[in-house]
Amino acid sequence: MEAVVPSSEVDAFIRQHIFFVFGVLSFIQYFAHKLLKYGFRLYALNVLKLKEKDLTKFSEHALSFIYYTTTFTVSCFVCYQKIWFWNISKCWTEYPYRTDGDVLWYFLFQETFYFASLIHLLTSGSASKNKVMITHHIVTLFLVGLSYLSGHTRVGMLVFMVHDCSDIFMEMARLANYAKANRIKNISFVVFGIVFFITRLIIYPFHIIKSVLFESSPTAPLTPYGGMKLYYIFLGLLLSLQVMHLYWMFLICRMIIKFFSDNMDVKKDIRSDEDEDLKEE
């Protein structure tokens, strides 16, 4: 039986003032990001004895590791109670449906994170080196917004789950590299590659996109904002993410080949056009 989250006055306020709440959460997340980043920077400087040029990257990867671990854990907790998590065809039952309060909160948190991350990428001076990641963030922002407007939040939750779980291990490998824990770095990278392949090249296209293509289309005209046109935009964004997944899988495969040719040691970072070093300094 699916756990039904009762609508509260807080949920009702959020629905009526969605952009105001988005702004407040973005403001809070910005300052929380600054505070945590400062703490990780001190840890990297005083405990790991990192060089000045590595402090910023370490603190950013530490924040990303905590974020992805937290969001994946929360999404598992939220989705475990939903019948549509166990049977994806139920995502379209009684569509369009009212988004549950816990799912709404989760979407807002994800939207503010990707908005803050996009601003950081655009203002960090490395925008030209991270074109694919910037494109990914822009697509994700539109996808989150359209998921809410079009009532596809159930599928949106599943998309977030398959994305966040692999990123945990990528960030773990990056942190282990700075800590000079090569065994953890290599194991984390291998696990990342396996999880990435399963979640983004199998579950995402053949389970989630397949459901959107063949199970949701009869109900798409019921979409309250834009009808069938919004459905096709939503589907197009999902497919564009898959193109990026294929590109990143190509880079991962290239790294795996290099991994075995370099005595089982990961040398280069991936998912970034700047080809950041993962080798020991």
Side-chain angles (χ1 to χ4, degrees):
M1 226 15 221
E2 180 176 358
V4 179
V5 180
S7 179
S8 66
E9 292 183 5
V10 174
D11 293 340
F13 176 84
I14 292 174
R15 296 176 201 277
Q16 294 173 13
H17 306 85
I18 191 76
F19 292 106
F20 171 75
V21 176
F22 173 80
V24 172
L25 287 178
S26 298
F27 183 78
I28 293 174
Q29 193 167 125
Y30 174 80
F31 282 100
H33 179 276
K34 290 290 185 182
L35 184 62
L36 287 171
K37 190 175 178 179
Y38 178 73
F40 285 126
R41 185 181 179 89
L42 289 178
Y43 174 81
L45 180 64
N46 298 316
V47 178
L48 298 180
K49 309 297 183 183
L50 294 184
K51 299 176 182 178
E52 181 67 29
K53 67 183 182 68
D54 294 329
L55 295 179
T56 299
K57 284 187 176 180
F58 174 85
S59 59
E60 289 174 353
H61 292 319
L63 280 171
S64 296
F65 173 75
I66 291 177
Y67 176 81
Y68 291 127
T69 303
T70 301
T71 54
F72 178 67
T73 303
V74 171
S75 65
C76 287
F77 177 77
V78 172
C79 289
Y80 180 81
Q81 308 172 67
K82 314 295 184 183
I83 192 172
W84 42 264
F85 173 70
W86 307 101
N87 183 356
I88 195 170
S89 65
K90 298 296 183 181
C91 285
W92 317 110
T93 302
E94 299 177 354
Y95 179 86
Y97 44 79
R98 182 183 179 86
T99 301
D100 290 336
D102 51 357
V103 176
L104 178 60
W105 274 105
Y106 182 85
F107 263 68
L108 271 171
F109 190 73
Q110 287 276 27
E111 185 83 339
T112 54
F113 170 78
Y114 279 102
F115 179 75
S117 298
L118 177 62
I119 296 301
H120 171 72
L121 286 172
L122 293 173
T123 58
S124 62
S126 59
S128 61
K129 300 177 181 179
N130 290 281
K131 293 185 288 291
V132 176
M133 189 61 72
I134 289 173
T135 303
H136 172 271
H137 281 28
I138 293 173
V139 170
T140 302
L141 281 169
F142 277 104
L143 195 55
V144 174
L146 285 176
S147 295
Y148 175 73
L149 289 176
S150 63
H152 290 85
T153 49
R154 295 175 181 176
V155 168
M157 283 291 296
L158 299 179
V159 171
F160 276 129
M161 284 189 72
V162 299
H163 280 74
D164 289 349
C165 60
S166 61
D167 287 334
I168 294 172
F169 298 101
M170 186 70 256
E171 297 303 335
M172 186 184 298
R174 287 165 168 165
L175 292 175
N177 174 64
Y178 286 111
K180 296 186 169 47
N182 282 343
R183 179 172 295 182
I184 296 176
K185 175 186 71 175
N186 293 333
I187 292 174
S188 297
F189 171 73
V190 171
V191 174
F192 163 74
I194 294 171
V195 174
F196 188 98
F197 177 79
I198 293 173
T199 56
R200 305 203 190 187
L201 270 67
I202 297 178
I203 296 176
Y204 181 74
F206 298 111
H207 185 59
I208 297 177
I209 292 183
K210 178 183 176 182
S211 178
V212 176
L213 272 171
F214 299 109
E215 295 176 330
S216 74
S217 53
T219 60
L222 298 175
T223 303
Y225 299 94
M228 208 66 177
K229 292 181 180 179
L230 193 57
Y231 163 77
Y232 284 122
I233 294 174
F234 178 73
L235 179 60
L237 291 173
L238 290 175
L239 292 173
S240 66
L241 280 182
Q242 185 58 30
V243 172
M244 283 181 269
H245 295 166
L246 292 171
Y247 169 72
W248 281 322
M249 193 66 225
F250 166 74
L251 296 182
I252 293 171
C253 289
R254 194 169 65 178
M255 283 190 68
I256 290 174
I257 295 172
K258 188 70 173 174
F259 174 74
F260 286 106
S261 64
D262 285 336
N263 299 317
M264 309 288 280
D265 188 24
V266 183
K267 298 293 185 184
K268 293 287 184 181
D269 196 0
I270 55 102
R271 311 223 343 236
S272 171
D273 297 333
E274 59 186 329
D275 215 16
E276 174 185 340
D277 264 344
L278 272 182
K279 63 184 178 182
E280 235 184 318
E281 298 293 336

